Amino acid sequence: MNIAGLNQLEHDPQVIRDYVKKSAFGKNKLMYLPLIIGIMISMFLAFAVYEGMLQEIGYTLAGVLAVVAVLCFVGVAVINRAAHKKLSRETDFVPICMAQKVYGEDANNNYYAIYTCGVKRHDGAFINHIADKIFALPANTNDKIEQSVNKLFQKDFIKPGEFAKQLPLSFTEGEVVWRRQFALGTLPKAAQQQIEDNNGQFWVVGLNPENAFLFRQYYK
């Protein structure tokens, strides 16, 4: 994809609408408090029903907790809708960024990848250079920066849906580079092969850098 084509897509109204809707979730961090409370109450009530403990905790209390859980989820929806409207007003382009596979699981095609949403977002050579620096890190190092980067790519730390984490700026030469997991196995087989043929590089949309998405329009 050439730079002119990328710039055109980054300002395409349909692309903007699609990714504003996806990126709005989690944009306002206030939503996490009612979300976590609602989930915890729901899990507690489900456990109570499964274990036959409703009589012990009391039906009145269980009813109150159920109402609180519902109100929490309604609050999440309201906050998310407001974030969506605000992001829609403020967005006139979406950054389409080159991502690079680093480490992951070939069996299910889940990979940690790195990307930047800044001026070097289209620069495949730069992102490959940072990946090469990651590959070159010694497993056992006393350098604190190298240790923090190694920790970001530990296989045991792979968590589906986890928000991206930023690599140290001193390691990425002053450019803000993010690490996030992507489920490449959800793409069509032809797209997966295309990524392999492109040395593990693929396109993501980073309207919210912490919550970048695969640029699926490109891989249809």
Side-chain angles (χ1 to χ4, degrees), residues 146-214:
E146 292 181 348
Q147 288 177 353
S148 67
V149 175
N150 276 336
K151 187 175 181 180
L152 284 173
F153 294 94
Q154 288 181 8
K155 191 173 181 179
D156 290 345
F157 279 39
I158 294 180
K159 300 174 183 176
E162 181 187 31
F163 279 98
K165 289 184 170 58
Q166 185 181 327
L167 277 68
L169 285 173
S170 59
F171 184 83
T172 57
E173 302 167 12
E175 187 75 13
V176 177
V177 176
W178 300 88
R179 180 276 279 158
R180 191 170 198 260
Q181 181 188 183
F182 292 94
L184 299 183
T186 62
L187 292 172
K189 293 294 183 183
Q192 295 179 47
Q193 186 59 53
Q194 181 181 352
I195 293 170
E196 288 299 315
D197 294 342
N198 200 35
N199 297 317
Q201 292 188 335
F202 57 98
W203 294 103
V204 301
V205 176
L207 181 56
N208 178 0
E210 294 178 274
N211 193 24
F213 293 93
L214 290 168

Side-chain angles (χ1 to χ4, degrees), residues 3-31:
I3 299 301
L6 283 171
N7 288 332
Q8 184 176 359
L9 284 170
E10 287 181 329
H11 292 85
D12 184 280
Q14 186 58 55
V15 172
I16 291 172
R17 281 193 294 271
D18 288 346
Y19 287 95
V20 162
K21 185 175 182 180
K22 291 181 180 181
S23 300
F25 185 82
K27 189 72 173 175
N28 187 337
K29 299 299 189 292
L30 288 176
M31 66 170 286

